[in-house]
């Protein structure tokens, strides 16, 4: 809980409580500032819910209770709507949105939901066990993995699901799903920031756009669309590239059997430092892999923040 004492003219006289966590200001930094800097209607009497502006320019959703004193000063008590669950609530919103975008992008693919489930398992496995990421970042990289192919929504279905080999021109068109995915996410992100800024999570969108654009880049720079190489490829994109190929190799398709673990290992070892991050490949090589039809839990731990 944060409490502000405000003059009849709307100037903050002093503040108590954890103002830095809620607003980004230390108590002494708030002193002398006009309260309208936080929100223009912040001094409305009674209980209200407002999106207030933090010091960093981002918005945060708060409950505010305002009383007026006999002296004409205002006492304002405020608390975050989501309390300690703010970050989790933001990620829950992104989860629903990104899953919806992934479903819309590849609607009609009968394997889509199973594919998303496997993507989740493999991404959590690598993000947690190989990279030791904190739980919120494990959630973020997995959310990004959901929308890695969102740009396919802009590719004609007759090309995406063509039963014969693609022509060179068709293949070049399919490759544009990376840049188109970036554009799609940029546009949706713009609306989220405008309409629900208190639920916007900047890192989730940054990683999602990086993955959509760069998940076909190669470690040696021979990939597309930008030809970036090595450590310059964003880490989330390097992870999702491994996940995408891992699922494609392990999973049976109408035109192929699922590969056994030894054959998958050989493929990753052969392309280590060419297509794939050597560190991620080395970690994969050190793991005991279950059979493709083994228990899902063998591939990763509990998904934690991903299940809200």
């Amino acid at each position: 809980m944060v409490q502000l004492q405000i003059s009849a003219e709307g100037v903050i006289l002093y503040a108590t409580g954890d103002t830095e966590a809620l607003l980004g200001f230390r108590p002494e930094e708030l002193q002398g500032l006009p309260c309208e800097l936080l929100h223009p209607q912040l001094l409305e009497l009674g209980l209200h819910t407002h999106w207030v502006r933090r010091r960093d320019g981002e918005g945060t959703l708060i409950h505010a209770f305002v009383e007026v004193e006999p002296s004409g000063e205002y006492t304002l008590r405020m608390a975050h709507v989501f309390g300690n669950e703010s970050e989790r609530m933001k990620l829950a919103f992104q989860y629903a949105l990104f899953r919806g975008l992934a479903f819309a992008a590849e609607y009609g693919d009968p394997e889509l939901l199973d594919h998303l489930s496997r993507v989740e398992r493999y991404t959590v496995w690598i993000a947690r066990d190989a990279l030791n990421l904190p739980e919120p970042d494990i959630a973020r990289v997995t959310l990004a993995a959901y929308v890695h192919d969102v740009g396919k929504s802009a590719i004609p279905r007759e090309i995406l699901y063509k039963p014969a080999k693609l022509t060179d021109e068709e293949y070049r068109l399919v490759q544009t799903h990376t840049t188109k995915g970036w554009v799609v996410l940029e546009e949706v992100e713009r609306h989220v920031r405008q309409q629900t800024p208190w639920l916007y999570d900047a890192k989730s969108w940054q990683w999602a756009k990086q993955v959509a654009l760069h998940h076909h880049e190669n470690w040696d720079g021979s990939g597309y669309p930008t030809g970036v190489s090595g450590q310059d490829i964003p880490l989330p994109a390097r992870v999702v590239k491994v996940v995408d190929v891992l699922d494609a190799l392990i999973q049976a398709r109408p035109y192929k059997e699922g590969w056994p673990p030894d054959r998958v290992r050989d493929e990753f070892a052969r392309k280590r430092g060419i297509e794939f991050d050597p560190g991620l490949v080395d970690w994969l090589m050190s793991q005991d892999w279950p059979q493709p039809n083994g228990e899902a839990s063998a591939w990763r731990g509990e998904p934690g923040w991903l299940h809200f």
Side-chain angles (χ1 to χ4, degrees), residues 220-236:
D220 67 357
S222 63
Y224 67 88
T226 67
V228 67
S229 64
Q231 298 284 347
D232 290 334
I233 304 171
L235 179 60

Side-chain angles (χ1 to χ4, degrees), residues 43-69:
L43 293 185
E44 292 180 0
L45 298 181
L47 180 64
H48 300 280
T49 300
H50 295 298
W51 170 53
V52 298
R53 181 182 179 185
R54 290 173 44 87
R55 181 177 184 171
D56 57 12
E58 298 294 330
T60 190
L61 194 64
I62 58 104
H63 291 312
F65 183 73
V66 180
E67 298 176 289
V68 63
E69 308 293 341

